[in-house]
Amino acid sequence: MQRYLKVLRLFWSTAIAAEMEYRINFILAALTSIGNLAGSLFGLFLFYRQGYTFTGWSWDAALIVLGMFTLLQGFSATLLAPNLNRIVRHVQEGTLDFVLLKPIRSQFWLSLHTLSPWGLPDLIFGCIIIGYAGKNLGLGIDRYLLSILPLCCSLVILYSLWFMLGSTTIWFVKIYNVTEVLRGLLEAGRYPVIAYPTAYRVFFTFVVPVAFLTTVPAQAMLGESQLIWLFGAVILAVTLFSISTWFWRFALRFYTSASS
């Protein structure tokens, strides 16, 4: 474990040093995040502007969900997209051979090799929204702590889904459209799952687990989450991560190296 932590520190320090050569990108990323956040707030405002509320969700409670969604966007931009989207290029260019030859687990290398600071604005804005809404709702520090576990589970779930899609590039080299479909489906997480019709709620809970990404952590913070949903989030996260690890090893059986 100590060796992996040392390698991770080297990875990220090198990545940040390289990215900071283009500091104007941070300003552009911040402006983009502000624009996306303004659009999300406006969309939510359209629902609440005439006194309408999602059943059991006040304006501030819905802001908690939006804040969770913004945090996930920042996590994706900071860690997932810079790493997992490159799996396609590694397969196309044959550089996956060099990754597999390294004395370190290939999934670890592919998932954490680089880090992009341009997702930090979303992480910051997500925390600001959650803090603002939590203050209006009078939430104590204990409520924030209760949401840490389900939020960590949502990060693992999102990573696992993305990595499994990235692994399919072993068979289907160009999968950019598939990952965009996943990101499009995850956009539904900006609102509480109760906002959708029953059929969509079932789909976003049991098929594409969007509800576990934002709604369940928000409910935990609000003190309204049932124990079965928290337990389900943990089981789902562990299961999907295990499947992603198995699926990657399975996919490598069909990988033909560039040198063979």
Side-chain angles (χ1 to χ4, degrees):
M1 178 61 71
Q2 185 176 0
R3 180 169 67 95
Y4 276 80
L5 291 175
K6 182 178 180 180
V7 171
L8 190 63
R9 185 172 66 252
L10 292 173
F11 280 168
W12 288 359
S13 61
T14 302
I16 292 176
E19 291 287 350
M20 291 308 292
E21 294 180 7
Y22 310 96
R23 300 181 184 181
I24 190 67
N25 287 350
F26 185 82
I27 298 177
L28 296 176
L31 293 176
T32 301
S33 298
I34 292 174
N36 291 335
L37 181 58
S40 299
L41 289 172
F42 179 72
L44 190 62
F45 171 75
L46 292 178
F47 286 104
Y48 284 85
R49 63 190 178 92
Q50 293 183 343
Y52 172 82
T53 59
F54 300 131
T55 304
W57 291 87
S58 65
W59 165 259
D60 290 305
L63 281 181
I64 297 287
V65 177
L66 182 58
M68 295 291 180
F69 174 79
T70 306
L71 283 178
L72 289 180
Q73 276 193 320
F75 172 71
S76 299
T78 301
L79 201 59
L80 299 187
N83 287 291
L84 303 188
N85 286 352
R86 292 186 179 183
I87 298 178
V88 177
R89 192 175 69 184
H90 285 305
V91 175
Q92 288 177 329
E93 299 177 358
T95 53
L96 183 59
D97 293 7
F98 303 107
V99 176
L100 298 177
L101 290 173
K102 297 181 185 297
I104 193 171
R105 292 186 61 180
S106 57
Q107 183 174 356
F108 176 86
W109 195 98
L110 292 169
S111 302
L112 300 171
H113 178 251
T114 189
L115 185 74
S116 174
W118 316 134
L120 289 179
D122 278 331
L123 294 174
I124 294 172
F125 292 146
C127 291
I128 291 175
I129 293 174
I130 292 173
Y132 170 80
K135 181 180 179 180
N136 290 342
L137 292 170
L139 301 182
I141 187 65
D142 57 320
R143 295 290 184 85
Y144 291 99
L145 295 177
L146 284 175
S147 67
I148 292 178
L149 177 60
L151 181 58
C152 289
C153 289
S154 70
L155 298 179
V156 175
I157 291 170
L158 180 58
Y159 160 78
S160 301
L161 292 174
W162 204 320
F163 187 78
M164 282 190 284
L165 283 179
S167 300
T168 61
T169 191
I170 299 293
W171 296 280
F172 315 105
V173 178
K174 295 183 178 180
I175 61 164
Y176 293 110
N177 292 336
V178 178
T179 56
E180 287 303 317
V181 170
L182 174 63
R183 295 179 68 174
L185 290 172
L186 297 179
E187 288 288 323
R190 68 177 69 241
Y191 305 122
V193 72
I194 196 68
Y196 303 98
T198 304
Y200 288 93
R201 271 181 266 165
V202 172
F203 180 80
F204 288 135
T205 302
F206 300 105
V207 181
V208 180
V210 173
F212 288 96
L213 297 181
T214 56
T215 301
V216 171
Q219 287 177 325
M221 182 176 291
L222 295 170
E224 300 175 356
S225 181
Q226 298 179 0
L227 186 60
I228 187 173
W229 288 107
L230 297 178
F231 183 73
V234 174
I235 294 298
L236 183 62
V238 173
T239 301
L240 286 179
F241 182 79
S242 300
I243 292 175
S244 70
T245 301
W246 170 85
F247 187 72
W248 173 245
R249 294 175 179 173
F250 175 76
L252 287 179
R253 298 178 186 177
F254 299 87
Y255 175 66
T256 302
S257 69
S259 59
S260 64

